[in-house]
Amino acid sequence: MAVKIYSSYPFNNRGLIAINAGTGAGVEKFMPVTAAGHFLLGQVVEVFKSYSLVRTIFDTGWELPVKIGSDNVDALLVGGRDPELTLIVKKQGLENGASVYAAAKEFPYGLKIGG
């Protein structure tokens, strides 16, 4: 389902956003939230009748196990203004421009994050 993001301007908080869908639209706590239908943006943390709050990958406390590229190199995505990949398994090489995928049980395996 496509939803709209409520504005928080001028008090922008990229770590937490409000969307215009809630229990009335079938939204449930802990659901993944995507951008463009297939890029992980965050996870629903609170649900109300007509809106929900979403914690995004830009939250400084966000951490998510991920896989990188076709070789499925393990790493940890750490959120923030500019999310970073850390704890990358060094024994495997990385492809330049490789895609990054979610690898945590809370999300559909292989949900694309970037790349």
Side-chain angles (χ1 to χ4, degrees):
M1 109 182 64
V3 300
K4 303 283 186 194
I5 298 173
Y6 285 110
S7 174
S8 57
Y9 179 83
F11 309 107
N12 290 334
N13 176 357
R14 296 175 189 215
L16 191 66
I17 59 173
I19 59 173
N20 72 332
T23 56
V27 174
E28 297 177 10
K29 192 171 183 178
F30 304 121
M31 287 178 89
V33 175
T34 60
H38 56 278
F39 286 103
L40 180 64
L41 175 62
Q43 184 176 42
V44 175
V45 292
E46 279 192 72
V47 184
F48 302 91
K49 184 176 180 181
S50 60
Y51 74 97
S52 300
L53 297 178
V54 175
R55 182 177 179 214
T56 73
I57 64 171
F58 303 104
D59 183 278
T60 56
W62 182 278
E63 291 186 343
L64 180 70
V66 296
K67 300 280 187 179
I68 306 170
S70 59
D71 289 335
N72 293 316
V73 177
D74 288 306
L76 180 68
L77 174 73
V78 177
R81 185 176 185 98
D82 295 311
E84 296 179 353
L85 294 172
T86 64
L87 302 175
I88 299 170
V89 174
K90 301 220 185 264
K91 62 183 173 187
Q92 293 179 276
L94 291 178
E95 309 157 11
N96 190 18
S99 294
V100 178
Y101 301 92
K105 66 183 180 304
E106 296 85 8
F107 300 101
Y109 190 88
L111 184 59
K112 196 170 185 179
I113 297 171

